[in-house]
């Protein structure tokens, strides 16, 4: 990887920016590598130790600067990483946001989608990790979700390089969502009051008002630069007045109302499909969970287990090892060696013969314990792995 240090965004002011945003560990960097070439720029986000990777790409005939951002769970920042991602969207113009989502975790993803939609930015929702979601029988009705949110929805499997072309096409078509949702009356009233005191920005005033109401302290510097002191006091007063109306902190109240909206959407788009498996395993599944056939099957399993551990292990194998391996070969061999090497009868009796340590104790220890424990553990392993 070719790396050199440069401040983000200064590459070329005229190249439209695409920001990759998403929850932690959903495949943002994998998608980033698939979209950009070999030449990327790694730099610290100004004033932080957080690393940001940017790269150029051409989609159709257009050139874009793509930014890979740190994973976030919310755009109401609680950590430096989250602040950086929020600032990437706040501080500069973004042509389009690609939200990379883990399809298995649709609710967590939608919680973030709502905040991006609120920001008034053009968003493409990329449902990544479709391989994993399908293998768990999770399917998202993309058309329905697209209709609800009014944005481009695509699905990808980054590790298999699948869906990247449709993602690129969707980026060219990306648009600001037409979806709007509201909070309770008190919150809505305070949002509009605060909005009227805010300047134009790269993200909507509504989203900034919600950050302020959520008690976002990381916005302080930005606000001091952009808003007059008198208006800042008024904004704080409005937030304090609203928070007095609730038993819980405002960020909790706002999050709860968002979660409710996320639940409603998820319910409409989330479907569970039967996981396709081989015929034999599906049949086995049917038999073992069948209310009537299940019991005979249980007894069959227990019987096979008894035959294997009890009859074969404790019977056949024990006899074989005791009588043949030890009785015919090892014990006579040990007796011959001992009587040849140690002429003292007392010591000979101690070691070999019917009560000798070697012939009796070791024979029993190995011949009896070994086959039983071995067959038992084999049976145990088979049962555990088969579930
Ligand atoms: N099965 C599967 N794994 C994927 C897919 N996309 C990415 N991964 C894997 O998921 C892991 C995380 O991928 P990254 O691209 O590092 O995720 P990220 O969103 O950049 O993570 P952070 O930057 O830490 O938030 C890696 O092991 C990827 O190989 C996918 O579509 N399917
Ligand atoms: Mg990453």
């Amino acid at each position: 990887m070719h790396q050199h240090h440069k401040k983000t965004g200064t590459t070329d002011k005229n190249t439209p920016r695409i920001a990759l945003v998403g929850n932690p560990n959903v495949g943002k960097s994998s998608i980033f590598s698939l979209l950009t070439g070999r030449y990327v720029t790694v730099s610290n986000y100004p004033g932080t130790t957080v690393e940001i990777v940017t790269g150029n790409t051409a989609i159709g005939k257009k050139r874009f600067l793509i930014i890979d951002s740190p994973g976030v769970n919310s755009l109401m920042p609680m950590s430096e990483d989250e602040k950086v991602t929020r600032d990437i969207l706040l501080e500069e113009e973004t042509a389009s946001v690609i939200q990379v989502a883990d399809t298995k975790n649709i609710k967590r993803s939608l919680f973030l989608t709502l905040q991006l939609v609120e920001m008034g930015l053009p968003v493409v929702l990329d449902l990544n990790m479709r391989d994993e979601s399908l293998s768990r029988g999770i399917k998202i009705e993309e058309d329905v979700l697209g209709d609800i949110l009014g944005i481009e929805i695509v699905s990808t499997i980054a590790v298999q390089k699948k869906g990247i072309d449709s993602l690129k096409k969707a980026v060219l078509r990306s648009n600001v969502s037409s979806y709007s949702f509201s909070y309770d009356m008190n919150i809505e009233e305070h949002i509009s009051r605060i909005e009227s005191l805010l300047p134009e920005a790269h993200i909507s005033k509504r989203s900034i008002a919600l950050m302020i109401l959520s008690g976002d302290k990381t916005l302080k510097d930005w606000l001091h630069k952009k808003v007059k002191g008198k208006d800042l006091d008024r904004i704080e007063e409005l937030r304090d007045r609203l928070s007095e109306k609730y038993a819980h902190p405002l960020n909790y109240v706002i999050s709860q109302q968002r979660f409710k909206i996320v639940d409603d959407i998820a319910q409409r788009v989330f479907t569970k499909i039967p996981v396709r498996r081989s015929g034999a395993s599906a049949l086995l599944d049917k038999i073992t969970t069948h209310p009537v056939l299940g019991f005979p099957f249980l007894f069959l399993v227990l019987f096979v287990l008894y035959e294997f551990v009890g009859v074969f292990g404790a019977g056949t194998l024990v006899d074989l090892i005791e009588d043949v391996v030890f009785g015919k070969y090892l014990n006579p061999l040990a007796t011959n060696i001992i009587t040849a090497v140690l002429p003292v009868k007392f010591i000979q009796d101690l070691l070999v013969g019917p009560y000798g340590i070697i012939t009796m104790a070791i024979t029993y220890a190995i011949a009896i314990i070994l086959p039983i424990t071995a067959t038992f553990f084999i049976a145990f392993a088979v049962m555990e792995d088969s579930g």
Side-chain angles (χ1 to χ4, degrees):
M1 199 189 278
H2 171 87
Q3 305 186 347
H4 56 104
H5 288 258
K6 228 187 232 178
K7 269 191 181 165
T8 0
T10 54
T11 330
D12 179 0
K13 278 282 175 207
N14 299 320
T15 316
R17 295 191 328 158
I18 295 174
L20 282 164
V21 176
N23 299 111
N25 220 29
V26 295
K28 295 178 296 298
S29 302
S30 310
I31 295 283
F32 176 86
S33 314
L34 293 172
L35 290 175
T36 56
R38 280 194 317 127
Y39 298 99
V40 299
T41 307
V42 182
S43 59
N44 283 352
Y45 193 78
T48 70
T49 57
V50 180
E51 266 191 355
I52 296 292
V53 188
T54 60
N56 285 290
T57 190
I59 301 180
K61 291 192 175 95
K62 276 192 175 171
R63 290 198 65 74
F64 292 94
L65 178 75
I66 301 202
I67 305 176
D68 187 11
S69 70
V72 294
N73 283 315
S74 167
L75 290 163
M76 313 282 127
M78 301 296 280
S79 66
E80 193 179 39
D81 276 9
E82 289 184 336
K83 178 177 170 1
V84 166
T85 300
R86 196 275 318 275
D87 284 349
I88 287 173
L89 303 174
L90 173 69
E91 302 279 0
E92 276 178 72
E93 170 122 14
T94 310
S96 141
V97 174
I98 298 175
Q99 185 196 342
V100 183
D102 176 357
T103 314
K104 303 189 296 296
N105 240 315
I106 192 68
K107 285 192 184 175
R108 199 169 65 130
S109 311
L110 287 173
F111 188 73
L112 201 56
T113 315
L114 286 188
Q115 294 174 56
L116 292 167
V117 162
E118 245 165 13
M119 287 180 164
L121 295 168
V123 184
V124 172
L125 179 57
D126 170 14
L127 299 174
N128 190 39
M129 301 195 165
R130 197 172 46 122
D131 54 333
E132 290 188 350
S133 75
L134 284 183
S135 73
R136 283 168 208 207
I138 294 169
K139 188 171 176 293
I140 302 302
E141 301 289 347
E142 286 168 39
D143 295 347
V144 182
L145 186 56
D147 285 346
I148 295 172
L149 295 177
I151 54 173
E152 293 288 327
I153 313 247
V154 292
S155 69
T156 55
I157 307 175
V159 283
Q160 295 170 20
K161 302 184 177 159
K162 283 196 180 142
I164 303 305
D165 279 339
S166 32
L167 175 60
K168 285 182 177 174
K169 284 185 191 132
V171 168
L172 293 178
R173 287 197 301 260
S174 68
N175 61 294
V176 176
S177 167
S178 50
Y179 182 67
S180 73
F181 54 95
S182 30
Y183 299 86
D184 72 41
M185 257 174 46
N186 277 324
I187 295 177
E188 284 297 334
E189 187 195 319
H190 283 73
I191 290 174
S192 31
R193 288 197 186 171
I194 292 177
E195 270 181 315
S196 68
L197 300 167
L198 292 173
E200 287 299 331
H202 295 298
I203 59 176
S204 74
K205 293 181 185 181
R206 180 180 174 82
S207 64
I208 298 173
L210 277 155
M211 288 173 197
I212 294 170
L213 290 176
S214 297
D216 181 349
K217 298 203 169 50
T218 64
L219 256 183
K220 215 172 176 174
D221 289 344
W222 187 88
L223 283 171
H224 274 282
K225 264 190 291 181
K226 307 271 181 178
V227 183
K228 282 183 295 210
K230 177 174 70 81
D231 290 345
L232 271 183
D233 293 345
R234 177 89 185 111
I235 286 172
E236 264 175 35
E237 196 186 305
L238 282 164
R239 188 193 59 214
D240 292 346
R241 241 206 282 149
L242 180 64
S243 73
E244 280 164 17
K245 296 185 199 276
Y246 298 92
H248 296 290
L250 278 180
N251 65 347
Y252 175 83
V253 176
I254 290 170
S255 292
Q256 286 304 305
Q257 298 190 14
R258 276 195 187 122
F259 277 130
K260 214 183 145 294
I261 294 158
V262 165
D263 275 341
D264 285 348
I265 300 176
Q267 229 168 37
R268 290 160 67 188
V269 301
F270 183 97
T271 43
K272 199 92 173 120
I273 48 172
V275 180
R276 272 237 316 263
R277 284 180 307 184
S278 69
S281 119
L283 183 69
L284 203 61
D285 204 49
K286 267 215 181 99
I287 294 173
T288 50
T289 56
H290 191 279
V292 181
L293 290 177
F295 283 103
F297 193 82
L298 175 67
F299 289 117
L300 180 70
V301 169
L302 288 176
F303 176 72
V304 170
L305 208 63
Y306 169 75
E307 282 291 318
F308 183 63
V309 180
V311 178
F312 175 70
T316 319
L317 278 186
V318 168
D319 289 347
L320 183 79
I321 295 180
E322 190 181 357
D323 296 343
V324 182
V325 180
F326 280 90
K328 273 211 177 113
Y329 299 100
L330 295 181
N331 288 348
L333 184 72
T335 312
N336 289 343
I337 294 174
I338 297 293
T339 39
V341 190
L342 291 166
V344 187
K345 179 88 172 75
F346 165 72
I347 297 181
Q348 283 176 6
D349 283 344
L350 190 69
L351 292 177
V352 295
Y355 306 107
I357 290 175
I358 295 176
T359 44
M360 188 193 75
I362 295 185
T363 303
Y364 285 151
I366 293 178
I368 296 175
I369 314 274
L370 186 75
I372 297 176
T373 42
T375 48
F376 178 75
F377 277 108
I378 290 170
F380 209 73
V382 169
M383 295 222 298
E384 192 173 352
D385 283 348
S386 66

